[in-house]
Amino acid sequence: MNFSYLRHLLSFLALGVVQVFVLNHISLFGVATPLLYIFFVLKMRRNYPRWAIIVEAFVLGLLMDTFQNTPGVGACSMTLLGMMQPVLLDLFVTRELAEDARPSAAELGRIKYFYYVTIATVIYCVAFYTLELFAFFNWMQWIQRVVGSSVLTILLIMLLEMAQKRKE
């Protein structure tokens, strides 16, 4: 079995388990929950097949829906993120970057990587909380959830990225 495939599968499982058993129980001020599992889609390499990104994102979203009691919301939002990931990544990569490079602060640069993570996280949170609330009657709660969860998620992803950089 290919080592990179095994590492990819382990990161899928690890992020799912951490989200389900730890992060789903965190609710800062009753509105902000970190959604770290989107890191799995954000770290997919540059030339990864688009169909595989979409399928894996959908499966991870469906898995999260099962444990979060949000039928279809996570799957739809993750599928959207899976469709957007190659497009967003192409906005921030340079032509000199290798075709099979994984997005990281070291590869893209800290500022570009931060923008990449921020845009993807905000897109995901807007889709997720719009579908979850399914109405704009309480738009203040919607804004609080989107902003709070986006900030927490971005913070966790950047911390995880710095921890991975130090490990290597």
Side-chain angles (χ1 to χ4, degrees):
M1 184 182 292
N2 191 355
F3 181 70
S4 65
Y5 177 74
L6 183 62
R7 184 176 178 188
H8 188 70
L9 182 64
L10 287 176
S11 71
F12 179 92
L13 294 173
L15 286 171
V17 167
V18 168
Q19 183 69 43
V20 168
F21 292 113
V22 178
L23 298 177
N24 280 350
H25 301 289
I26 296 173
S27 182
L28 193 62
F29 304 117
V31 293
T33 302
L35 304 167
L36 187 63
Y37 58 93
I38 69 171
F39 187 60
F40 176 77
V41 174
L42 296 180
K43 290 298 278 187
M44 290 191 176
R45 67 181 193 271
R46 188 173 179 191
N47 67 348
Y48 205 73
R50 286 184 182 215
W51 66 268
I53 295 172
I54 293 169
V55 168
E56 290 177 19
F58 173 77
V59 170
L60 183 58
L62 196 59
L63 180 69
M64 292 300 113
D65 281 339
T66 303
F67 292 104
Q68 292 175 339
N69 196 22
T70 55
V73 174
C76 181
S77 302
M78 284 297 287
T79 303
L80 175 67
L81 183 63
M83 291 170 54
M84 296 292 297
Q85 189 266 353
V87 176
L88 290 173
L89 187 57
D90 284 342
L91 291 175
F92 295 103
V93 294
T94 59
R95 294 184 188 259
E96 297 86 35
L97 194 64
E99 281 296 317
D100 62 342
R102 288 194 182 279
S104 67
E107 293 287 336
L108 300 177
R110 286 185 180 168
I111 300 298
K112 284 185 178 182
Y113 185 72
F114 176 75
Y115 288 148
Y116 166 68
V117 168
T118 300
I119 292 170
T121 302
V122 169
I123 287 171
Y124 179 79
C125 287
V126 165
F128 185 85
Y129 288 112
T130 300
L131 291 171
E132 184 182 54
L133 294 176
F134 204 66
F136 286 108
F137 294 118
N138 196 350
W139 59 273
M140 276 306 284
Q141 182 185 18
W142 177 77
I143 290 173
Q144 289 172 342
R145 285 186 175 192
V146 168
V147 170
S149 294
S150 294
V151 168
L152 274 178
T153 303
I154 292 165
L155 190 80
L156 276 176
I157 288 173
M158 295 307 286
L159 287 172
L160 191 59
E161 181 66 28
M162 286 183 351
Q164 283 182 348
K165 183 179 177 183
R166 287 195 177 149
K167 191 175 96 173
E168 293 174 353

